Amino acid sequence: FGSSFESCSVPPFPFWAMRVTLCSIVASSAADVAIYKVGYPVAGECGQGSVDSAVAKYPEQFAGFKEGSCKDVGYTVADGQKTIKIPVWGKTFTIDLFKQTARVAAESGADVAIYKVGYPV
């Protein structure tokens, strides 16, 4: 699970006539992995972040994120960042936002704006 026990102690009181051992757990340093989700947190864009590999399964399983980067699915134009608060967990997480290029968006069937300078005049 990517954790190790740092120290253990036995409290001086009985716990329902059983001895309880308390241990503090220290997470081992696991590598971060990139995860992404298209359409989150901004519709039409791809949100990408980096999380510890030991916990990457949770946003993948419960929030629909996938391992990899937005670039892997055609979102290559950086469009800033957004900080969100993770429900239940209560921690904040900064997500990098990416857009598709106009050419990729057009090929995927998404709406794009077109214009001509000096038209119709």
Side-chain angles (χ1 to χ4, degrees):
F1 290 99
S3 300
S4 62
F5 294 103
E6 181 179 77
S7 63
C8 296
S9 63
V10 178
F13 58 90
F15 186 76
W16 290 303
M18 298 183 322
R19 292 189 71 116
V20 177
T21 303
L22 302 175
C23 298
S24 59
I25 299 174
V26 177
S28 62
S29 58
D32 285 350
V33 296
I35 58 172
Y36 73 93
K37 184 174 181 180
V38 174
Y40 181 82
V42 177
E45 295 191 0
C46 181
Q48 174 182 314
S50 190
V51 296
D52 187 304
S53 62
V55 297
K57 63 184 174 187
Y58 298 114
E60 291 173 7
Q61 183 177 2
F62 298 113
F65 280 81
K66 296 183 177 163
E67 192 171 325
S69 68
C70 291
K71 181 176 125 180
D72 297 340
V73 290
Y75 291 80
T76 58
V77 181
D79 192 35
Q81 295 181 321
K82 184 166 183 147
T83 300
I84 58 166
K85 189 171 186 174
I86 307 297
V88 181
W89 194 24
K91 297 196 179 212
T92 57
F93 186 66
T94 301
I95 294 183
D96 298 318
L97 301 173
F98 293 89
K99 292 181 179 180
Q100 291 180 315
T101 63
R103 181 184 60 79
V104 172
E107 290 172 356
S108 68
D111 291 338
V112 292
I114 58 172
Y115 66 95
K116 182 176 180 181
V117 176
Y119 181 80
V121 178

